[in-house]
Each structure stands twice: as C-alpha cells, then as structure tokens.
Amino acid sequence: MIINFNDKLKEVCNSIEIDINNEQIEQLNLFKELLLAWNEKMNLTAIVDEHEIIAKHFLDSMIPAHLFSEGNVIDVGTGAGFPILPLKILKPQLEVYGLDALNKRILFLKEVSKELGVNLNLIHGRAEDYAKKDVSRETFKYATARAVAPLNILAEYNLPFLKIGGEFIAYKGSNYKDELNESEKALELLGGKVKKIYDYKVPIVEEDKYAIVIEKIDNTPTRYPRKPGIPKKRPL
Ligand SMILES: C[S@@+](CC[C@H](N)C(=O)[O-])C[C@H]1O[C@@H](n2cnc3c(N)ncnc32)[C@H](O)[C@@H]1O
C-alpha cells in the first residue's frame, strides 16, 4: 500500500472543513522527516512504520482540530509534539505550549519549531509542578493530553491549568467509557464536567478514537494537583 501523505492531509482537512495551504503541508512534511530522522538516534516514539506515524500521530492529532477556536492551549505530556504541533500548524491563531517531563523531547521540539518557523512555547517540567505556578494556573482556554495517563489522572494534571469556561480535550481510544466512569469523582473535585464526546475514525489504520471535551465549570481547589507522582500513585 502506498500512502500519499499530502493527499491524506488534504482529505482530512476537507472532512473537518479546515483550509490547508502549501506552506502548512510543507511544515507537516518537514516535521515528519525530522521525527523519522531523530527517532533513529533517540527514543521519541515507539511507532516506527511511516504509515503508522502518518495515521496514528499526524492524522489522529489533526482530526479534532475543529474543536479549537482561538486562545491559548497547553499540551500536557506533549512528547514529540502530539497533538500540539499539528494543531498549531493547522490553526496558527492558537497560542500553544508544550509541557513534558523529559528534556530530550523538549530539546527535539525546540529544534523542530525553529526549523518549521512555528512559535511553540516549550516547558520542561511536570504537570504537578507547573500547574501550581501563578503564571500558568487557571490561565488557559484549552488543555490537551494524548497517550499520557488514564482520564482520572489526566484530570488532575490538566484541569488546574484551565480558566472557567475553558476546555480539557482528551484524546482517547476505545476504552474511554471505562475511563470516564472512573473519573466521575475526580471531575467533581477538580471542577470539570463532560461537555461532549467527538468520535472519529483515523484513516489508514481505521482506528476508532474519541475526543472527550471536559468543560471547566468551577475553580480547582488549590490542593490540586497533589505532589509529583501522587496523582498516578493514588488517582482521585
Ligand atoms: C507516551 S508519551 C505521549 C506523547 C504525546 N502526547 C503523543 O501522543 O505522542 C507520554 C509523555 O508524557 C510525559 N509525561 C508523563 N507524565 C507527565 C507529567 N506528570 N508531567 C509532564 N509530562 C509527563 C512523558 O514524559 C512522555 O513524554
């Protein structure tokens, strides 16, 4: 099977009614090339097959882009930049932040954003620490997370960053219903409420995915997030 990346990018953008121009297509291509090249030297992603990288990283990150309008977004556990970098390329009006506990991934993203000419703010640190800081606490319109932790843990990482009315958009797989059931208490404690669930299929791999949109309806009590490691060890 031969996949034409550019055709897939156009197809996906067409289906979500977002315009994509040649410059954006070039940026996504360059990002893919840099990811493939750097991944040979350091562990950026466990997925190595190019078709899977296109589908599971790029297209999966892009399809929910229409859920974002404008404002600032923090991607918690951004890793090699998914979903935040494809989102920024598709929606340049977003002010984007990528946070990760692993510095080598942040260094990779510094290099990529420089090469692409994209303004991506990068923070090396843990969500539990960064969400306590005045500069970041309850200051974001959107928070995202993909492949980082189950939803009850993610809620404690992400909801403290949001201002009231903001949205946490969690990229999830078919296990999302169980994760949602186990997150009821966490959402209530942290000031979140499920607003909608957007379901989609990732082309090429034909995988069912779900973007869970959780609205921040109340301030998060200052005791959350708890100390680094505690949300994972003792989920709410
Ligand atoms: C499996 S990777 C996923 C990366 C990317 N979001 C994706 O979808 O490809 C998970 C990332 O989350 C980061 N991470 C996990 N817990 C974190 C925390 N508490 N604070 C910041 N980063 C965290 C890890 O360092 C890792 O880079």
Side-chain angles (χ1 to χ4, degrees), residues 165-210:
E167 290 175 349
F168 165 33
I169 302 186
Y171 284 61
K172 286 288 167 191
S174 49
N175 197 31
Y176 80 99
K177 276 192 189 145
D178 291 343
E179 291 195 31
L180 268 176
N181 286 337
E182 279 160 29
S183 303
E184 270 179 32
K185 186 177 152 213
L187 295 187
E188 204 186 308
L189 285 172
L190 298 159
K193 187 171 183 266
V194 178
K195 185 175 174 184
K196 65 177 166 190
I197 297 166
Y198 167 66
D199 61 306
Y200 59 99
K201 205 178 259 304
V202 182
I204 306 169
V205 289
E206 299 294 313
E207 214 168 74
D208 291 317
K209 291 290 306 270
Y210 304 85

Side-chain angles (χ1 to χ4, degrees), residues 15-213:
S15 73
I16 54 174
E17 296 180 6
I18 287 182
D19 292 333
I20 185 164
N21 60 31
N22 288 341
E23 190 197 348
Q24 290 163 311
I25 289 176
E26 270 171 35
Q27 286 174 322
L28 288 159
N29 273 279
L30 184 53
F31 179 22
K32 175 169 72 68
E33 293 314 316
L34 290 168
L35 179 65
L36 287 168
W38 280 60
N39 209 34
E40 287 183 7
K41 296 177 279 174
M42 63 163 77
N43 173 23
L44 288 168
T45 164
I47 303 174
V48 286
D49 176 73
E50 188 170 348
H51 291 166
E52 284 202 33
I53 286 192
I54 290 173
K56 294 187 177 182
H57 284 328
F58 285 86
L59 304 183
D60 181 41
S61 295
M62 289 164 57
I63 299 171
H66 59 98
L67 299 173
F68 300 79
S69 55
E70 55 185 14
N72 53 359
V73 191
I74 183 159
D75 187 28
V76 173
T78 192
F82 300 101
I84 201 67
L85 197 43
L87 284 177
K88 171 70 178 168
I89 293 171
L90 284 194
K91 295 227 148 174
Q93 72 271 30
L94 294 172
E95 182 191 335
V96 293
Y97 293 75
L99 169 74
D100 204 282
L102 260 190
N103 202 31
K104 65 173 182 179
R105 296 188 172 146
I106 293 294
L107 293 176
F108 163 73
L109 284 174
K110 278 195 177 143
E111 193 58 37
V112 171
S113 48
K114 199 169 85 189
E115 295 238 4
L116 266 58
V118 163
N119 189 5
L120 170 61
N121 300 288
L122 291 159
I123 308 137
H124 171 221
R126 293 189 66 104
E128 298 95 313
D129 294 321
Y130 195 59
K132 292 274 193 202
K133 295 191 192 293
D134 287 346
V135 283
S136 56
R137 190 171 183 88
E138 302 204 315
T139 58
F140 285 88
K141 167 93 182 284
Y142 299 102
T144 52
R146 200 189 80 130
V148 176
L151 200 57
N152 50 353
I153 300 173
L154 284 182
E156 190 168 351
Y157 291 163
N158 285 57
L159 282 167
F161 286 114
L162 293 174
K163 41 191 175 190
I164 291 184
E167 290 175 349
F168 165 33
I169 302 186
Y171 284 61
K172 286 288 167 191
S174 49
N175 197 31
Y176 80 99
K177 276 192 189 145
D178 291 343
E179 291 195 31
L180 268 176
N181 286 337
E182 279 160 29
S183 303
E184 270 179 32
K185 186 177 152 213
L187 295 187
E188 204 186 308
L189 285 172
L190 298 159
K193 187 171 183 266
V194 178
K195 185 175 174 184
K196 65 177 166 190
I197 297 166
Y198 167 66
D199 61 306
Y200 59 99
K201 205 178 259 304
V202 182
I204 306 169
V205 289
E206 299 294 313
E207 214 168 74
D208 291 317
K209 291 290 306 270
Y210 304 85
I212 319 283
V213 182

